[in-house]
Amino acid sequence: MKLQGINLKQIALLLNTIFICKSNPNRIYKQDMQNEEKWITELMLLRSIIQKTPLFRTIKWGAEVFTWNGRNVLSYGGFRNYFALWFYNGVFLTDKDKLLVSAQEGKTKSLRQWRFSSAKEIDEAKILAYIQEAIEVERKGLKIKPEKFQPLELPVLLEEAIRNDDRLSAGFKKLSPGKQKEYIVYLLEAKQEQTRNRRLEKIMPGIMQGIGLNDKYK
């Protein structure tokens, strides 16, 4: 359906943007996933359901995140083939309906996604029940214990770069062991030499500045 040349999804996108801006007129937030035009109507429906809960809406990493007592509970967004809710401590949910999936099997520890492919799959009562359980998880303070730190051997590529660049060497030494490990794993995950070289070039400025690979998400 179109109204004077503008379709309903475009209107929904505009209303969503106005809502975000009015909530904090001093800042403009980048909300690519939450303004995904393909799913904008469905995403607004998800948000309307979330807003019926006692969760507090805030902005983190350029997107809406809903919290309880300052702890991240859930967020939502649209992707190419689906839109989703995700629970930051979803691993502790009973998930009796087997709806939750790990975004990256073997890598994602706590976060779990609930994916949808159409508005018909949105079950408000079921979503509210899952959210209530997620709040109980936070009320109980459940969390995955961090794994015992295991130092990793430096990749040859990074070792050579550090040996030949005093600034890089000094920056890497200033990083905490955990942040050093983030960079090492990032390089080790690359299977091809070309990819490893490209990744090294990408991370060198951050290492020199003493910035961790994932600091922007914290």
Side-chain angles (χ1 to χ4, degrees), residues 111-122:
L111 188 146
R112 293 294 182 269
Q113 288 185 340
W114 182 347
R115 297 177 179 178
F116 308 86
S117 57
S118 75
K120 294 179 181 179
E121 297 176 1
I122 296 176

Side-chain angles (χ1 to χ4, degrees), residues 85-98:
L85 283 172
W86 52 88
F87 299 89
Y88 289 99
N89 262 328
V91 68
F92 294 107
L93 299 180
T94 55
D95 190 24
K96 63 179 181 179
D97 297 302
K98 306 301 179 184

Side-chain angles (χ1 to χ4, degrees), residues 3-164:
L3 181 64
Q4 295 182 345
I6 302 177
N7 63 44
L8 289 181
K9 286 205 170 186
Q10 288 174 324
I11 294 173
L13 178 60
L14 176 61
L15 291 174
N16 188 41
T17 303
I18 291 172
F19 177 88
I20 297 299
C21 292
K22 287 184 70 176
S23 67
N24 191 334
N26 297 318
R27 293 187 62 183
I28 298 175
Y29 296 106
K30 181 181 179 182
Q31 304 233 345
D32 294 340
M33 288 188 301
Q34 293 173 347
N35 276 337
E36 176 60 54
E37 186 171 353
K38 178 180 179 180
W39 304 113
I40 190 63
T41 304
E42 292 83 356
L43 293 176
M44 290 186 72
L45 178 56
L46 283 182
R47 186 173 64 191
S48 71
I49 295 172
I50 298 170
Q51 289 175 328
K52 295 179 181 181
T53 73
L55 295 177
F56 176 77
R57 174 189 165 277
T58 186
I59 301 293
K60 295 186 179 183
W61 312 294
E64 288 184 318
V65 173
F66 292 83
T67 67
W68 185 85
N69 277 2
R71 300 182 63 172
N72 299 337
V73 176
L74 64 87
S75 188
Y76 66 96
F79 302 86
R80 179 180 297 178
N81 298 317
Y82 63 89
F83 59 102
L85 283 172
W86 52 88
F87 299 89
Y88 289 99
N89 262 328
V91 68
F92 294 107
L93 299 180
T94 55
D95 190 24
K96 63 179 181 179
D97 297 302
K98 306 301 179 184
L99 296 167
L100 304 180
V101 298
S102 175
Q104 289 184 297
E105 197 64 45
K107 293 184 179 181
T108 304
K109 303 298 183 182
S110 298
L111 188 146
R112 293 294 182 269
Q113 288 185 340
W114 182 347
R115 297 177 179 178
F116 308 86
S117 57
S118 75
K120 294 179 181 179
E121 297 176 1
I122 296 176
D123 184 326
E124 179 173 328
K126 193 170 291 186
I127 289 173
L128 290 174
Y130 270 65
I131 293 176
Q132 185 57 46
E133 186 181 2
I135 292 173
E136 288 302 314
V137 166
E138 300 306 328
R139 184 176 281 119
K140 294 175 182 177
L142 301 180
K143 62 174 65 175
I144 290 182
K145 294 181 180 180
E147 296 179 355
K148 186 177 180 180
F149 179 77
Q150 296 290 340
L152 295 176
E153 187 176 345
L154 281 179
V156 174
L157 187 66
L158 179 57
E159 186 177 13
E160 291 178 352
I162 288 174
R163 188 186 307 121
N164 296 321

